[in-house]
Amino acid sequence: MTRAAAAAARVRERPSANQDERPAGMPVDMLVLHYTGMRSARAALDRLCDPASRVSSHYVVEEDGQVWRLVDERRRAFHAGVSYWRGHQALNGRSIGIEIVNPGHEHGYRDFPALQMAAVCDLCLEILARHPIPARNVVAHSDIAPDRKDDPGEKFDWPGLAANGVGVWPLGVADRGFGGIVRDGGGLRSVRADLAAVGYGVAAEGGADMALHTVLRAFQRHWRPEAVTGEADAGTVARLEAVARICAGG
Ligand SMILES: [Zn+2]
């Protein structure tokens, strides 16, 4: 048995009622990663399958690496909610959602175990082989809904995933530290433009600074987890410029 076949054999079925048809003709070109944010895997699975909750995901990955399929990838699951990325909104129609078991910031946020991350990585690679999902469209829930969501959060191993071919992580960016916070208009305009180039729903010009702070926090949770401050410090700006360059390139 190949590694992929072994992984497929490990997937258990737990169908959720919370699904419907994808919009006709829409490509599946996004992969959205979440944490469950509940006290236990069982509570999360129950909620994601409860018709009254109106939420679901295609997959749930437990901390021991057990993978559950709740919704067929050809169908729409209800995991993204109000969302925006690279010019598109309401992203359930074009995305696959994976819920990764972790109590989350409300119930004792903790590290994602290596076994769990390995299972997430294998599952993502299988999904990427089945759908035209570019690396820049492998995102956190917090990336596509920065004002509502923090998941999967700053403990999630994005660099490890990228090292295996899942998502974007810039290599070789010099650490410029936490000082040198950008506050002038010109500097902030270029921060906005880079965030928009990555895919965030922030206007390239103007807008409230509060929104910029919120979006910067989302960027940091994903690409600069050392300090989730919402401030455009020198290290954050360097990482942002590098990510924007990769995302602009395809
Ligand atoms: Zn989420």
Side-chain angles (χ1 to χ4, degrees), residues 32-35 79 99 141-142 149 151:
V32 182
L33 305 188
H34 304 255
Y35 67 43
H79 57 96
E99 286 279 0
H141 198 189
S142 54
K149 296 292 176 181
D151 62 311

Side-chain angles (χ1 to χ4, degrees), residues 61-81:
V61 181
E62 293 199 57
E63 288 181 299
D64 65 0
Q66 175 64 55
V67 179
W68 295 89
R69 182 183 2 251
L70 279 57
V71 176
D72 189 288
E73 290 175 14
R74 289 167 294 190
R75 306 266 299 168
R76 174 165 59 186
F78 307 155
H79 57 96

Side-chain angles (χ1 to χ4, degrees), residues 3 22 24 32 44 72 74 114 118 125 139 159 161 170 191 196 219 223 233:
R3 188 173 177 211
R22 290 189 184 274
V32 182
D72 189 288
R74 289 167 294 190
L125 286 171
V139 295
L161 282 186
V191 167
F219 174 83
W223 281 291
D233 59 65

